[in-house]
Amino acid sequence: MGLLEEIGGGFLGAAATVGGMGLLGYQILRRLVTFRIDRAETLRNLYRMGVKSIPIVIVTALFTGAIMVIQAAPLVVRLGAQGLLGWGAGFGILREIAPLLTALMINGRVGANNTAELGTMVVTEQIDALRVLAIDPIAFLIAPRFVAIVTTLFLSTIFADTLALLGAAYGGFGLLGVEPKTFYNGLTSGLLGLSDVTSGLVKSIVFGVVMALSSCQYGLGVKGGAPGVGRAVNATVVASAAGIFILDYFVSFTLD
């Protein structure tokens, strides 16, 4: 009976969280379509979340491309398929690896930090103070963060695509002696299409929406003071990562 109660409680908790995210998404959408969003706060969050994430995106993307070449090297050498290295790396990077790894890295940095900030505001009653001053917290705090996270992930994915391909090209040259020109020819030989690029970019937008709603929902729902903030940050990272993988499957299934 205890196990059943625990499973039922977990299911109800997950349903409440998903329902809360849906309601929060509706409230954000209403502010966006009526242009009730604080522009200064949006720009500040774009700088804080986007510009300051550039170093981690650079490191992750460059080494991701090089790692893909290391994994493909034995097969490429055995089959003598150096000319297809560009196509193979581009297919994996553009459709899957770059958007997925970028989302997970941004989630660890931006998503967790967003929940911690909002949770601290809840604990210190700053959000209640905004309401007392007749300031809409959704328009002033939440919608700008939603726009900043989605935009950051979309632009970071484009950036990561480029850098990962650069890392794969020079990794292939260093490990396999494949000239960057040969890599580029494989990349542009016609085996890759526009759908391979747009598939990854669509995923980045979906991942950004999940990450933004999850981090804001858990941040606004903090209870129990400082320990509650820690639990909310942990729950955000886990829930966002799980949501990213689950939606990655469905988006891949739909677009393919």
Side-chain angles (χ1 to χ4, degrees):
M1 190 63 183
L3 179 62
L4 290 176
E5 287 180 353
E6 190 171 336
I7 294 174
F11 178 79
L12 290 175
T17 300
V18 173
M21 288 170 60
L23 181 60
L24 182 62
Y26 172 71
Q27 293 175 325
I28 292 172
L29 184 62
R30 284 185 57 190
R31 270 69 171 184
L32 292 179
V33 297
T34 54
F35 301 103
R36 292 165 56 199
I37 177 173
D38 190 284
R39 293 183 181 179
E41 186 69 8
T42 303
L43 292 176
R44 191 180 75 83
N45 279 292
L46 278 172
Y47 171 77
R48 196 167 52 87
M49 295 177 179
V51 176
K52 291 195 172 183
S53 295
I54 288 177
I56 197 170
V57 173
I58 291 175
V59 173
T60 304
L62 284 174
F63 279 92
T64 296
I67 289 170
M68 288 195 67
V69 171
I70 292 174
Q71 297 298 326
L75 190 61
V76 169
V77 172
R78 187 186 309 167
L79 300 177
Q82 285 82 356
L84 293 176
L85 185 63
W87 167 74
F91 187 84
I93 287 170
L94 296 174
R95 292 186 71 96
E96 193 63 52
I97 302 300
L100 187 60
L101 288 183
T102 303
L104 293 176
M105 295 304 293
I106 297 290
N107 181 42
R109 182 186 177 275
V110 174
N113 188 56
N114 188 43
T115 299
E117 283 188 356
L118 290 175
T120 303
M121 290 180 182
V122 171
V123 170
T124 55
E125 300 181 344
Q126 294 180 52
I127 293 182
D128 291 335
L130 288 176
R131 293 193 178 98
V132 170
L133 294 171
I135 298 174
D136 180 3
I138 300 295
F140 181 70
L141 280 179
I142 307 303
R145 289 164 188 261
F146 177 88
V147 171
I149 291 176
V150 174
T151 305
T152 292
L153 198 49
F154 179 75
L155 296 179
S156 295
T157 299
I158 296 175
F159 194 43
D161 283 344
T162 306
L163 290 176
L165 290 173
L166 196 63
Y170 284 95
F173 179 67
L175 290 171
L176 303 172
V178 177
E179 293 288 340
K181 183 180 179 181
T182 305
F183 183 93
Y184 178 76
N185 289 336
L187 195 62
T188 59
S189 60
L191 293 174
L192 289 175
L194 183 62
S195 62
D196 297 310
V197 180
T198 57
S199 173
L201 296 181
V202 169
K203 287 180 181 178
S204 73
I205 295 173
V206 174
F207 297 162
V209 171
V210 171
M211 192 188 308
L213 290 178
S214 176
S215 62
C216 291
Q217 174 67 17
Y218 278 109
L220 293 174
V222 164
K223 294 178 181 175
V229 175
R231 288 193 295 270
V233 170
N234 183 57
T236 294
V237 174
V238 173
S240 296
I244 285 169
F245 279 109
I246 292 170
L247 288 175
D248 187 22
Y249 170 80
F250 286 107
V251 174
S252 298
F253 183 78
T254 303
L255 296 180
D256 290 345

